[in-house]
């Protein structure tokens, strides 16, 4: 490593410390937990290696932040240790190993740089400020993933720092032929397990679409009976269990968001973005086919919904074809790189992969909780994303660490609030809601309360949820019931023998 590598070490007396120890989720850091002693701000791999060696030599624990969007406290819960902050390592260029994206690069910055310089993109997430490090190492799913697969599927090599049994930092450039086991582990198992990834390399990336078509509708809670709600969820799921597996639909990404009926944001909204396999939106027949499934359920134009004071708004037909939506045609870049950083709220998150459409039991439970007048329900969202398509390539089971390759939908349960005093009611609501959805005959007896069994594929590690630690089988929820987790344990023992990199949900050695 270069002798000149000397990353800034920010201690508790520095006015920057209080800001840099915080992330996107205002629940953390917990004021009851002692803070780290320092924060090392590293602008490249050399500075990161130097900082890591200093930390190990001092007998301290390192944790790593790239964008700070982790849902739990994995990097912040480090009493007396040192946080390595990679957020200024945001290089995006092209060289010997192909396209390079530094681990601290925000996704929006990566999209802008890759497109403007090279005309390509990554099929990653839609939140502008999420950091590449955690996002890609955990799989990296986004709006284009049904068309192109996960971002981690495109990674062809990595720069990663590991620590050997003697405390020496080892700088590695790994690929399918060099430390192939570690390379596979770093493509989907999640960050903070084996070492510190500093750079991702891609020999090829998909050409960015030139145009996308957006459309959306919403549905009023005022006339939303349980029967109608069940039809909505099941028609949505049925499409992706059947027609959505056909390749001509893979350019269709949909978001179905359900907010509580009694809250200030009471809404049931459905949004879709579509492009053809050739990167254009000239033929939107698939988009119409999808939305036509709901035409008899009184959809409102997107942005509509129930009126005030209990008055129901009638559907408004805004389309010349008699459809209750307009299609907005935009350049892919304008639709993707649109700013927005989020953050500032306290939050709790849960996830589930679904291989089949919704059962009657799941619909009934969702309806019950979304109709609840409980204060704990306020600020919650049941977000149902389309999944599958190119993601479900069985060949990727062997060379990545993403086990969920047969799902058709990915659900994210979210709740946001401001006051710490409200933590108990919101956390309880989320836990009760989630557990209720996955309790019943649709779930195997050994997995009650969790999305496991013939109809499900567990949870998404990038939507980490420490509640799942209550189950002894929690690794199966995130890594499947096959040989992936035993493989990851072997990689952990080999490359991190002293368990330097760990959290409450890291791979156990």
């Amino acid at each position: 490593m270069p002798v000149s590598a000397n990353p800034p070490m920010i201690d508790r007396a520095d006015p920057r410390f209080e800001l840099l120890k915080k992330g996107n989720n205002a629940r953390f850091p917990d004021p009851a937990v002692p803070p780290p002693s320092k924060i090392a701000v590293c602008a490249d791999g050399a500075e990161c290696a130097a900082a890591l060696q200093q930390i190990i030599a001092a007998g301290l624990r390192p944790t790593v932040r790239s964008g700070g969007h982790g849902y739990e406290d994995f990097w912040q819960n480090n009493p007396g240790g040192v946080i390595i902050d990679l957020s200024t390592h945001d290089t995006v260029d092209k060289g010997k190993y192909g396209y390079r994206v530094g681990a601290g690069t925000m996704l929006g910055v990566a999209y802008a740089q890759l497109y403007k310089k090279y005309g390509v993109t990554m099929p990653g997430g839609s939140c502008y400020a999420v950091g590449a490090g955690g996002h890609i190492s955990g799989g990296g799913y986004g709006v284009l993933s049904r068309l192109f697969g996960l971002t981690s599927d495109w990674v062809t090599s990595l720069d990663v720092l590991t620590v050997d049994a003697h405390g020496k930092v080892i700088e590695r450039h790994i690929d399918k032929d060099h430390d192939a086991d570690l390379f596979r582990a770093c493509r989907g198992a999640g960050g903070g397990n084996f070492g510190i990834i500093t750079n991702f390399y891609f020999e090829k990336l998909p050409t960015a679409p030139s145009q996308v078509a957006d459309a959306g509708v919403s549905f009023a809670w005022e006339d939303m009976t349980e029967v109608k709600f069940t039809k909505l969820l099941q028609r949505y799921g049925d499409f992706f269990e059947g027609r959505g597996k056909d390749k001509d639909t893979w350019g269709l990404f949909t978001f179905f968001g359900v907010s509580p009926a009694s809250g200030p944001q009471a809404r049931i909204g459905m949004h879709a973005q579509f492009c053809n396999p050739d990167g254009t939106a000239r033929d939107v027949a698939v988009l119409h086919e999808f939305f036509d499934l709901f035409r008899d359920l009184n959809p409102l134009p997107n942005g509509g919904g129930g009126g005030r004071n209990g008055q129901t708004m009638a559907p408004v037909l805004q389309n010349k074809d008699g459809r209750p939506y307009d299609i907005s045609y935009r350049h892919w870049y304008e639709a993707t790189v649109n700013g927005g950083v989020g953050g500032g709220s306290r939050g709790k998150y849960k996830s589930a992969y679904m291989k089949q459409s919704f059962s009657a039991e799941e619909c009934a439970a969702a309806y019950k909780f979304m109709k609840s007048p409980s204060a704990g329900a306020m600020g919650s969202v049941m977000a149902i994303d389309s999944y599958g398509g190119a993601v479900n390539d069985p060949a990727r089971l062997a060379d990545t660490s993403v086990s969920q390759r047969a799902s058709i939908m990915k659900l994210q349960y979210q709740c946001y609030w401001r006051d710490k005093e409200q933590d108990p009611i919101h956390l309880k609501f989320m836990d009760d809601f989630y557990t209720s959805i996955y309790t019943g005959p649709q779930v195997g007896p050994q997995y009650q309360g969790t999305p496991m069994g013939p109809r499900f594929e567990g949870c998404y590690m990038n939507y980490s949820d420490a509640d799942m630690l209550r189950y002894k089988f929690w690794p199966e929820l995130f890594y499947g019931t096959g040989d992936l987790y035993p493989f990851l344990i072997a990689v952990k023992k080999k490359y991190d023998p002293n368990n330097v990199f760990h959290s409450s949900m890291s791979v156990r050695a």
Side-chain angles (χ1 to χ4, degrees):
M1 78 187 59
V3 177
S4 61
N6 187 25
M9 288 283 188
I10 296 171
D11 62 22
R12 297 173 187 172
D14 192 299
R16 295 170 290 178
F17 185 86
E18 286 301 312
L19 176 65
L20 295 181
K21 74 176 185 179
K22 297 177 181 178
N24 196 63
N25 189 345
R27 284 177 58 212
F28 310 115
D30 185 341
V33 177
S37 61
K38 296 179 181 179
I39 299 172
V41 180
C42 302
D44 57 32
E47 288 191 351
C48 186
L52 180 59
Q53 191 65 76
Q54 291 176 36
I55 295 164
I56 299 300
L60 301 175
R61 176 191 170 209
T63 54
V64 187
R65 162 194 173 136
S66 57
H69 280 68
Y71 285 171
E72 295 290 352
D73 64 351
F74 298 161
W75 60 272
Q76 292 157 311
N77 188 353
N78 188 4
V82 181
I83 295 171
I84 295 178
D85 186 321
L86 294 176
S87 60
T88 59
H89 180 28
D90 56 359
T91 302
V92 180
D93 58 16
K94 187 177 183 182
K96 177 181 178 182
Y97 301 114
Y99 305 103
R100 174 174 64 153
V101 176
T105 310
M106 292 189 294
L107 295 183
V109 173
Y111 299 147
Q113 293 290 308
L114 288 170
Y115 181 73
K116 290 181 178 180
K117 291 179 180 179
Y118 313 111
V120 299
T121 191
M122 305 183 302
S126 57
C127 183
Y128 185 99
V130 165
H135 183 70
I136 299 175
S137 63
Y141 173 76
V143 175
L144 293 177
S145 288
R146 277 177 45 83
L147 190 59
F148 296 127
L150 301 176
T151 306
S152 58
D153 297 346
W154 291 80
V155 174
T156 49
S157 62
L158 297 160
D159 291 332
V160 61
L161 305 173
T162 59
V163 180
D164 69 13
H166 306 290
K168 180 181 179 182
V169 174
I170 308 296
E171 300 180 58
R172 303 175 185 271
H173 181 79
I174 63 175
D175 57 25
K176 63 181 180 63
D177 298 315
H178 304 87
D179 297 325
D181 50 355
L182 180 60
F183 179 60
R184 179 191 173 193
C186 289
R187 298 171 73 199
N193 282 306
F194 314 105
I196 302 176
I197 297 172
T198 57
N199 291 295
F200 298 92
Y201 297 94
F202 308 84
E203 291 180 0
K204 296 180 180 179
L205 280 170
T207 300
S210 60
Q211 185 186 47
V212 296
D214 287 295
V217 296
S218 59
F219 302 86
W221 266 117
E222 284 79 3
D223 63 351
M224 187 58 62
T225 64
E226 183 175 336
V227 171
K228 183 176 176 181
F229 186 78
T230 298
K231 288 181 180 179
L232 267 176
L233 265 63
Q234 290 187 333
R235 289 184 191 179
Y236 184 93
D238 290 349
F239 179 87
F240 290 103
E241 186 177 355
R243 180 73 171 95
K245 294 181 179 180
D246 296 336
K247 201 166 185 177
D248 66 316
T249 71
W250 289 6
L252 178 68
F253 175 86
T254 61
F255 170 85
F256 184 6
V258 182
S259 298
S262 58
Q265 303 297 323
R267 188 169 183 273
I268 302 174
M270 197 178 293
H271 176 263
Q273 185 177 105
F274 177 76
C275 72
N276 301 118
D278 64 358
T280 72
R282 286 191 290 261
D283 182 355
V284 294
V286 169
L287 193 64
H288 289 314
E289 180 183 353
F290 172 75
F291 279 115
D292 282 349
L293 295 171
F294 312 99
R295 200 166 180 179
D296 66 323
L297 300 179
N298 301 321
L300 301 163
N302 205 18
R308 295 181 182 273
N309 303 318
Q311 295 178 348
T312 302
M313 295 173 61
V316 179
L317 302 181
Q318 295 186 329
N319 187 282
K320 65 180 182 179
D321 297 321
R323 294 184 171 94
Y325 56 88
D326 284 326
I327 296 178
S328 171
Y329 293 88
R330 292 189 289 170
H331 194 283
W332 167 86
Y333 182 83
E334 294 173 339
T336 303
V337 186
N338 55 7
V341 295
S345 297
R346 306 175 76 80
K348 179 60 183 177
Y349 311 85
K350 295 175 174 293
S351 67
Y353 286 96
M354 296 185 66
K355 295 192 290 185
Q356 299 176 22
S357 186
F358 292 94
S359 69
E361 292 84 0
E362 291 155 17
C363 294
Y367 185 80
K368 172 186 174 182
F369 278 85
M370 287 290 98
K371 290 283 285 186
S372 169
S374 166
M378 301 304 100
S380 63
V381 181
M382 180 182 181
I384 310 165
D385 288 351
S386 55
Y387 204 72
V391 174
N392 289 346
D393 180 354
R396 298 285 75 80
L397 289 168
D399 61 12
T400 73
S401 291
V402 177
S403 67
Q404 294 87 2
R405 299 287 183 173
S407 290
I408 59 167
M409 292 179 289
K410 183 167 70 172
L411 278 64
Q412 183 176 189
Y413 299 82
Q414 311 166 49
C415 192
Y416 302 96
W417 64 98
R418 291 286 181 180
D419 297 329
K420 185 178 188 299
E421 292 72 22
Q422 294 181 335
D423 284 9
I425 62 170
H426 289 294
L427 295 175
K428 184 178 187 306
F429 173 84
M430 288 290 285
D431 198 17
D432 290 347
F433 179 20
Y434 185 85
T435 303
S436 176
I437 293 284
Y438 303 110
T439 298
Q442 74 276 22
V443 180
Q446 72 273 39
Y447 295 121
Q448 288 291 303
T450 70
M452 284 293 286
R455 303 184 65 255
F456 309 101
E457 276 194 304
C459 309
Y460 183 32
M461 180 52 77
N462 274 3
Y463 298 164
S464 51
D465 177 12
D467 290 348
M468 297 298 99
L469 292 171
R470 71 168 66 113
Y471 303 104
K472 291 182 179 180
F473 56 83
W474 74 265
E476 296 180 27
L477 291 170
F478 296 93
Y479 301 114
T481 58
D483 61 1
L484 176 58
Y485 194 64
F487 164 79
L488 295 175
I489 291 174
V491 172
K492 177 73 169 178
K493 290 179 178 178
K494 180 177 177 181
Y495 294 97
D496 186 20
N498 295 328
N499 196 28
V500 169
F501 304 99
H502 65 273
S503 70
S504 61
M505 297 188 74
S506 57
V507 172
R508 308 293 198 244

